[in-house]
Amino acid sequence: MATKIYMDNAATTPVRDEVFNAVLPYFKEFYGNASSVYSIAKESKKAMEKARGQVAKGIGAKPEEIYFTAGGSESDNMALRSIAESLGKKGKHIITTKIEHHAILHTCEYLEKHGYEVTYLPVDEFGKIKLEELEKSIRPDTILISIMFANNEIGTIQPIAEIGKLAHEKGILFHTDAVQAVGHVPIDVTEMNIDMLSMSGHKLGAPKGIGAIYIRKGVPIQPLIHGGAQEKRKRAGTENIPGIVGLGLAVELAVSEMEVETKRLVHLRDKLIHGILETVPFSRLNGHPTERLPGNCNISFTYIEGESLLLLLDAVGVAASSGSACTSGSLDPSHVLMAIGLPHEIAHGSLRLTLDRNNTEEEVQFILDKLPGIVQRLRDMSPLYEEIANKKA
Amino acid sequence: MEYSEKVMDHFMNPRNVGVIEDASGIGQVGNMKCGDIMKVYLKIEDGRIQDAKFKTFGCGAAVATSSMATELVKGKTVQEALEVTNRAVMEALDGLPPVKVHCSCLAEEAIHAALWDYAQQNGIEIKGLKPPVNDVDELHHGEAEEE
């Protein structure tokens, strides 16, 4: 069945109409290489610098502190690997959390193989780190703290300003993976003492394959990709002008609409969460009840498995995601759900619905109407539910 | 990862879901950690499987392989049922994605476990049948592929 309701906006979003229209001229009309001197190239250069300003303004940075990349994963890799390289002589200890995106976790594992030590902070039942634990884990050889702004699976928002303050008091650089947060929650890198921040375009209505990293002036960064002199020699490669234009506009639009859109999304999110918890027995909310992304709903249903749930939702035209092992390509359920202390049987039965600007009240109601029957259908097939049903009878 | 039409058919319209109250043999395999548990009920008369039912907690492939495995053993003799291997289940479903091969192993094992239970209860020996392995996923862990 064709997808009627798309509620997997944490995975990716459709390109916004305004963005689509704005990027089109940069494919065939203003196609010049921004490094060249002729007039058509100047258009590219001009558009790129405008976008740099838009991105910077969106997070409270200066334009010269924004470097365009191919996406969130590249930005995360660049932050960790280049700080490890620049400050490796000073120390080899990095602090992160157990619930980071794999772009951070796998880069940390890579660095561990190359002589670095990484502390993976635990999180509480809501997915938040404890500042005391962060403070305790800081060592004289700690060179970097990298903690995600908001979690992609359960939506929990970390106390970023407090983390930034602590990092700066201790003189340690602070990077945050803000791929899920940019354009969705207010960010001010100066107020929050953030030294580096990763973002991705396609999570907020810009095309895939474009991202950026904010690097505070003075932070010793190294290029991940060597080559030409683009991005002040920090990121080689001919600039993706259409992507850059799209990212700039998408950030500007998202930030300008944030106040109104957040109210609308929080209303829809809470209607979805409370509606599901009230109508489906043996269900629980994953993540923090209030300190979570405006569009994130993550709920576990005991006695059923997530992939089956996604297939049945797809059959009624709903696109969603799950943290079950069967959808991760491994045999273990999501590391985030395990980190918040869910037992395997509950982690396997998780459903993530992520709302964005295109979702409506009617769509939320459709899911509230369909979901209880779908969950029951799977429970009627489940040997685990049979035991519970027999006990009750 | 994509499922074949047959897998989707057996997932969307699973055959033989349920329990057999007076089952001759019941087998349950799988574990919570990997996220697949299959319970198979067999009704056996005169050495022939008259009916088969299942209940499964698991992904689309787990449900589809349970459905197909119970379908394949119905009407077969106990000896013939032993030949319903995971390969046979997979072939009948027009294949499975590599990461889902362990589901077909689990289905084979669930049938074997129910047959083993039947044999134990009736004090008979089924040639070629080994005691059930509960942790099928551990055995086939190596077959899973990273995304």
Side-chain angles (χ1 to χ4, degrees), chain A residues 3 5-12 151-155 180 203 272 276 286 292 295-301 304-314 317-328 334 336-337 346-355 367 371, chain B residues 147:
Chain A
T3 296
I5 299 180
Y6 182 75
M7 279 205 197
D8 200 16
N9 289 285
T12 192
N151 185 265
N152 49 314
E153 292 188 38
I154 57 174
Q180 296 289 336
K203 310 289 189 186
L272 196 55
I276 294 171
N286 297 319
R292 69 188 300 135
N296 178 290
C297 165
N298 188 314
I299 289 183
S300 278
F301 303 100
I304 64 169
E305 193 279 330
E307 191 209 77
S308 294
L309 188 56
L310 297 189
L311 291 171
L312 290 183
L313 280 170
D314 184 50
V318 175
S321 81
S322 167
S324 90
C326 285
T327 55
S328 70
S334 130
V336 177
L337 298 179
I346 299 177
H348 280 298
S350 78
L351 173 68
R352 182 186 74 174
L353 297 161
T354 43
L355 302 141
I367 290 182
L371 195 59
Chain B
E147 220 175 35

Side-chain angles (χ1 to χ4, degrees), chain A residues 106 302-305 307-309 311-312 315 325-333 344-346 348-349 377-384 386-387, chain B residues 1 3 8 11-14 17 19 28 32-35 37 39 41 54-61 63 99-100 102 137 141 144-147:
Chain A
H106 289 171
T302 317
Y303 315 119
I304 64 169
E305 193 279 330
E307 191 209 77
S308 294
L309 188 56
L311 291 171
L312 290 183
C326 285
T327 55
S328 70
S330 76
L331 290 174
D332 282 317
H344 279 88
E345 62 265 40
I346 299 177
H348 280 298
R377 177 172 164 182
L378 290 170
R379 282 182 176 162
D380 287 340
M381 220 190 280
S382 167
L384 305 168
E386 186 182 301
E387 290 163 22
Chain B
M1 188 199 74
Y3 287 135
M8 281 312 292
F11 170 72
M12 292 305 292
N13 312 291
V17 174
V19 299
Q28 182 168 319
M32 225 36 260
K33 196 172 173 291
C34 71
I37 294 178
K39 193 172 185 179
Y41 301 78
F54 78 91
K55 286 243 174 158
T56 288
F57 163 92
C59 61
V63 172
V99 291
K100 302 292 186 181
H102 73 280
D137 281 276
H141 199 280
E145 284 175 6
E146 276 259 5
E147 220 175 35

